[in-house]
């Protein structure tokens, strides 16, 4: 795609798969996707029934109003971060793996983030796959679970073969079907007698009130996943047409958060309260029968295709940076899929709570560092280049700005999130870790005078791609 000259490395794999760009920015002339197409791809994540579950569990345990307030908080924080990150990606043509290289981490520093990010997608892929396997197994218990794991684990691999254009088609065609199933589920729930007499938002379990500990616990649950959606918007926003940028960054960065936490989470609250059941795997099948299984199949395949896509991009970046190993994105699609299958077969996903807690803190802090670096270090203080360098030849291996900020904030935040610093900090750990990460980013950038961002300034980046 003519980008070899720019990267200084051989990009045969990219040439074969014209829409790959796993190790390279998307060149300006290839940024040709409309905002609606890209927003639609990110809806693959937003339609996951995981968000039903979040809403239902929070409402039944901590009260509907606390669940609603925490959802509004999640939409605002994740939406603001997502919009900024979508802007950086649309301007530079890079996803967060590439942005991190010149955005405060250095190229080995950025491989650290890529690796943790990749493991997160593999774990989510296994988690989402197991939800699907459980629903199908419940309906057809004669098929052994391991067969279902192999089948549904494998099916997402070919669905990722042709990159972003294939994702676009898949999400586009399956969205109307999702809409039909969703409306059917809402109608079926509405015509059933409600398990709760009042309006759904007034539901409160015994002894729980609005605000206080119950609200903090809801916020703590939201923190577990809020960092991920803003970051992964970048895998898709980098393909945005420049002329769609104004509306596009908002559509890609903010609207999916409204859908995840607001619409799906809100429906989860309503279903949970109405049916008195926290598990959508149970109530969707109760409401729709065999169609409930098909609905689950659809939502889980939609989300797992995006998990495999983002996972493969992150693994490509890690192995290129650290081992100079560049077998092409498709190789990493297979590795991500197989790793998720192994996690499912070994049944260890449900024993990774501490790891998931760490990931939640880490992802929000990482998003905060990227945004702080762009807005404060690049734009206000102007102590690092106004563009994002991604070529190893021009980069230092490590930049303490992002690496130290992320390690310190994630470690402190995880200790707090695991409950070692009291119950207030347990629920708010990811938020405070991201504030700490932002402050450290500015302090370390000032102390190091931005020395470790680039070895030498480039003069071949178009002004159009500068973010500051
Ligand atoms: N990207 C992503 N976000 C999620 N949020 C909740 N579940 C998931 C998932 O499997 N993948």
């Amino acid at each position: 795609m003519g980008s070899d000259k720019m990267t200084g490395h051989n990009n045969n794999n990219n040439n074969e798969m014209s829409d790959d760009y796993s190790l390279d920015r998307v060149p300006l002339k290839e940024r040709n996707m409309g905002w609606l197409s890209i927003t639609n791809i990110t809806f693959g994540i937003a339609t996951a029934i995981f968000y039903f579950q979040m809403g239902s569990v929070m409402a039944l345990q901590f009260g509907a109003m606390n669940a609603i307030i925490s959802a509004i908080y999640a939409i605002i924080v994740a939406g603001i971060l997502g919009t900024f990150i979508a802007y950086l990606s649309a301007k530079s043509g890079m996803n967060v793996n590439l942005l991190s290289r010149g955005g405060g981490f250095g190229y080995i520093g950025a491989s650290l983030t890529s690796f943790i990010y990749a493991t997160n997608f593999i774990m989510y892929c296994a988690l989402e796959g197991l939800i699907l396997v459980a629903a199908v197994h419940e309906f057809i218990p004669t098929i052994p679970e391991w067969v279902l794991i192999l089948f549904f684990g494998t099916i997402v691999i070919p669905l990722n073969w042709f990159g972003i254009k294939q994702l676009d088609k898949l999400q586009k065609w399956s969205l109307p079907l999702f809409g039909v199933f969703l409306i059917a589920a809402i109608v079926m729930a509405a015509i059933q007698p409600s398990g709760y007499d009042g309006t759904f938002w007034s539901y409160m379990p015994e002894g729980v009130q609005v605000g206080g500990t119950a609200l903090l616990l809801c916020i703590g649950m939201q923190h577990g996943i809020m960092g991920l959606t803003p970051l992964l918007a970048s895998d898709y926003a980098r393909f945005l047409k420049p002329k769609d940028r104004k509306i596009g960054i908002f559509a890609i960065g903010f609207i999916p958060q409204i859908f995840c936490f607001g619409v799906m989470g809100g429906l989860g609250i309503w279903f949970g309260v109405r049916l008195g059941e926290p598990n959508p795997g149970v109530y969707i099948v109760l409401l729709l029968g065999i169609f409930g299984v098909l609905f689950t199949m659809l939502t889980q395949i939609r989300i797992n295709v995006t998990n495999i896509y983002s996972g493969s991009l992150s693994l490509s970046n890690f192995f290129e940076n650290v081992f100079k190993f560049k077998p092409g994105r498709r190789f990493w699609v297979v590795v991500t899929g197989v790793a998720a299958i192994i996690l499912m077969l070994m049944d260890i996903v449900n024993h990774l709570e501490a790891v998931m807690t760490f990931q939640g803190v880490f992802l929000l802090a990482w998003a905060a560092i990227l945004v702080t670096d762009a807005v404060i270090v690049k734009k206000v203080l102007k102590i690092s280049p106004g563009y994002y360098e991604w070529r190893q030849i021009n980069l230092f291996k490590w930049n303490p700005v992002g690496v130290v900020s992320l390690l310190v904030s994630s470690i402190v935040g995880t200790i707090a999130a695991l409950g070692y610093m009291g119950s207030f900090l347990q629920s708010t750990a990811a938020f405070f870790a991201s504030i700490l990460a932002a402050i450290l980013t500015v302090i370390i950038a000032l102390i190091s005078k931005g020395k470790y961002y680039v070895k030498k300034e480039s003069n071949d980046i178009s002004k159009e791609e500068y973010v500051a």
Side-chain angles (χ1 to χ4, degrees):
M1 277 284 119
S3 47
D4 298 6
K5 254 186 272 147
M6 300 296 293
T7 54
H9 62 240
N10 182 352
N11 250 338
N12 282 340
N13 292 312
N14 282 352
N15 290 341
E16 282 164 27
M17 294 179 277
S18 58
D19 59 356
D20 185 330
Y21 304 110
S22 53
L23 301 173
D24 211 340
R25 65 177 178 168
V26 179
L28 260 176
K29 65 178 168 41
E30 297 294 328
R31 291 179 216 162
N32 50 22
M33 290 182 73
W35 67 268
L36 208 55
S37 277
I38 298 184
T39 308
N40 177 54
I41 297 178
T42 63
F43 264 60
I45 299 140
T47 56
I49 60 172
F50 180 95
Y51 292 101
F52 280 166
Q53 184 155 355
M54 286 273 295
S56 305
V57 169
M58 284 190 298
L60 291 179
Q61 275 188 22
F62 308 120
M65 194 44 76
N66 289 319
I68 292 169
I69 297 170
S70 75
I72 295 170
Y73 162 80
I75 291 170
I76 294 171
V77 175
I80 291 173
L81 289 172
T83 305
F84 268 112
I85 290 175
Y87 170 76
L88 301 177
S89 297
K91 280 288 264 187
S92 65
M94 299 179 205
N95 63 6
V96 287
N97 292 303
L98 294 165
L99 285 173
S100 295
R101 297 184 184 189
F105 290 83
Y107 73 86
I108 297 289
S111 60
L112 184 81
T113 53
S114 292
F115 184 73
I116 297 174
Y117 197 39
T119 59
N120 185 71
F121 285 112
I122 294 168
M123 276 167 20
Y124 265 113
C125 190
L127 201 83
E128 303 289 0
L130 283 179
I131 293 177
L132 170 54
V133 166
V136 179
H137 188 67
E138 187 68 27
F139 219 78
I140 322 173
T142 45
I143 308 179
E145 283 190 349
W146 66 267
V147 173
L148 295 172
I149 289 173
L150 287 180
F151 179 73
F152 289 114
T154 310
I155 203 171
V156 279
I157 295 175
L159 293 177
N160 246 287
W161 215 242
F162 299 102
I164 188 97
K165 295 280 154 56
Q166 186 185 14
L167 281 189
D168 182 25
K169 286 203 184 80
L170 195 86
Q171 304 291 18
K172 207 173 265 167
W173 289 107
S174 57
L175 189 65
L177 202 55
F178 168 83
V180 171
F181 280 133
L182 184 63
I183 291 168
I186 294 171
V187 171
M188 292 304 289
I191 59 179
Q192 292 210 1
S194 174
Y196 173 64
D197 287 339
T199 43
F200 81 96
W201 60 80
S202 65
Y203 176 80
M204 277 286 158
E206 283 266 316
V208 177
Q209 0 153 343
V210 178
T213 313
L215 176 59
L216 284 177
L217 287 168
C218 288
I219 288 175
M221 281 179 71
Q222 303 279 17
H223 277 156
I225 52 164
M226 270 167 60
L228 191 56
T229 19
L231 287 166
L232 65 79
S234 74
D235 284 339
Y236 311 108
R238 67 203 184 119
F239 291 95
L240 184 66
K241 274 182 205 160
K243 91 172 175 42
D244 279 11
R245 204 176 285 145
K246 259 201 187 113
I247 178 155
I249 58 163
F250 177 78
I252 301 164
F254 216 104
I255 294 177
Q257 325 296 343
I258 297 176
F259 205 85
C260 292
F261 302 107
V263 178
M264 293 295 282
L267 280 169
I269 296 171
W270 182 72
F271 281 130
V273 169
R274 196 164 177 88
L275 306 169
E277 166 62 53
N279 184 352
V282 173
Y283 61 67
I284 292 291
V285 175
L286 272 179
L287 292 170
L288 298 179
I290 179 78
F291 294 106
V293 180
L294 294 176
F295 183 40
T296 311
M297 222 180 263
L298 187 78
T299 63
Q300 299 314 97
I301 289 177
R302 276 167 61 84
I303 192 160
N304 262 355
V305 171
T306 69
N307 282 335
I308 299 251
Y309 183 67
S310 294
S312 68
L313 292 178
S314 307
L315 283 179
S316 293
N317 269 269
F318 173 75
F319 281 92
E320 186 219 19
N321 271 339
V322 178
F323 301 108
K324 307 273 178 287
F325 180 50
K326 292 181 275 183
R329 191 188 63 91
R330 284 172 179 167
F331 177 85
W332 298 115
V333 165
V334 177
V335 171
T336 311
V338 170
I341 291 173
I342 293 171
L343 279 190
M344 287 192 269
L345 288 173
M346 288 168 59
D347 196 24
I348 53 174
V349 197
N350 295 323
H351 306 286
L352 294 175
E353 218 163 272
V355 181
M356 300 290 259
T357 304
F358 166 75
Q359 301 260 12
V361 175
F362 172 91
L363 294 173
L364 204 62
W366 181 19
I369 290 171
L370 286 174
V371 172
T372 309
D373 179 71
V375 176
I376 310 290
V377 181
K378 286 193 187 317
K379 188 147 185 89
V380 178
L381 300 174
K382 298 199 185 307
I383 48 180
S384 66
Y387 60 90
Y388 283 94
E389 182 56 79
W390 75 105
R391 296 160 292 194
Q392 291 182 4
I393 197 158
N394 295 334
L395 286 162
F396 287 95
K397 284 187 175 173
W398 299 95
N399 182 349
V401 174
V403 175
V404 174
S405 307
L406 188 56
L407 286 179
V408 171
S409 59
S410 310
I411 291 170
V412 175
T414 304
I415 294 171
L418 290 175
Y420 295 105
M421 295 184 182
S423 60
F424 175 73
L425 282 177
Q426 181 167 14
S427 308
T428 51
F431 178 81
F432 285 111
S434 42
I435 302 282
L436 175 64
I439 295 170
L440 287 174
T441 298
V442 177
I443 294 175
I444 302 171
L446 285 168
I447 294 173
S448 62
K449 301 191 176 68
K451 225 167 36 201
Y452 301 99
Y453 277 83
V454 287
K455 278 188 185 157
K456 65 177 172 61
E457 295 258 348
S458 301
N459 53 14
D460 57 355
I461 312 268
S462 123
K463 279 283 171 252
E464 166 78 11
E465 296 183 276
Y466 275 58
V467 298

